[in-house]
Amino acid sequence: MMHISNSHFSGRPAAGPDTPRRPGNNDGPGTAVITRTKPQTKRPSLYRVLLLNDDYTPMEFVVHVLERFFNKNRDEANRIMLHVHHHGVGECGVFTYEVAETKVTQVMDFARKHQHPLQCVMEKK
């Protein structure tokens, strides 16, 4: 039976020639703590795209814009158009910044091309 003295046994395996050592500690293998941080993804800000009422743009043109650029069906487009007509402003949809900006530009360009003063704006939700 072999006797091991407590003064020589630390409870850790002995370091071999290939085992890295920690600086300042010559009696055990090197240890490293590797932590992986999960990236925090922030939801993008959302923007409401709004149509503003005017006294010159035909209602049918507004319905067409809602169908073409916002993929609204005829009933939904009519409902939004009437809301714009009665309340002065109506929401076409909610999008990320880049999508909202693109929609506003498309609507404004289309309205100008057809010589209508329709205004389309975006606001942070």
Side-chain angles (χ1 to χ4, degrees):
M1 183 165 153
M2 184 158 75
H3 177 70
I4 299 175
S5 162
N6 282 341
S7 63
H8 296 283
F9 184 71
S10 65
R12 291 183 287 206
D18 296 329
T19 305
R21 296 187 176 273
R22 289 180 288 179
N25 188 353
N26 295 329
D27 63 348
T31 59
V33 177
I34 299 173
T35 57
R36 284 200 179 156
T37 56
K38 189 174 180 181
Q40 293 294 325
T41 52
K42 192 178 98 176
R43 290 188 183 273
S45 297
L46 295 176
Y47 292 80
R48 299 170 69 208
V49 175
L50 308 169
L51 286 178
L52 307 179
N53 190 43
D54 64 74
D55 294 331
Y56 304 100
T57 304
M59 291 180 177
E60 190 55 40
F61 183 80
V62 175
V63 170
H64 179 67
V65 163
L66 290 163
E67 290 173 332
R68 179 173 177 164
F69 297 105
F70 299 97
N71 298 317
K72 304 297 183 189
N73 63 39
R74 178 63 69 162
D75 289 341
E76 199 172 8
N78 271 307
R79 185 185 54 74
I80 294 169
M81 176 274 297
L82 287 172
H83 189 274
V84 171
H85 181 69
H86 293 294
H87 300 279
V89 64
E91 182 178 284
C92 305
V94 178
F95 309 96
T96 60
Y97 181 85
E98 290 80 11
V99 174
E101 186 177 46
T102 300
K103 299 259 185 210
V104 168
T105 301
Q106 288 174 330
V107 169
M108 295 293 289
D109 289 349
F110 189 70
R112 297 303 154 262
K113 179 181 171 190
H114 290 87
Q115 300 177 341
H116 295 299
L118 182 65
Q119 293 292 305
C120 185
V121 297
M122 58 189 261
E123 71 176 21
K124 195 167 186 177
K125 187 167 168 113

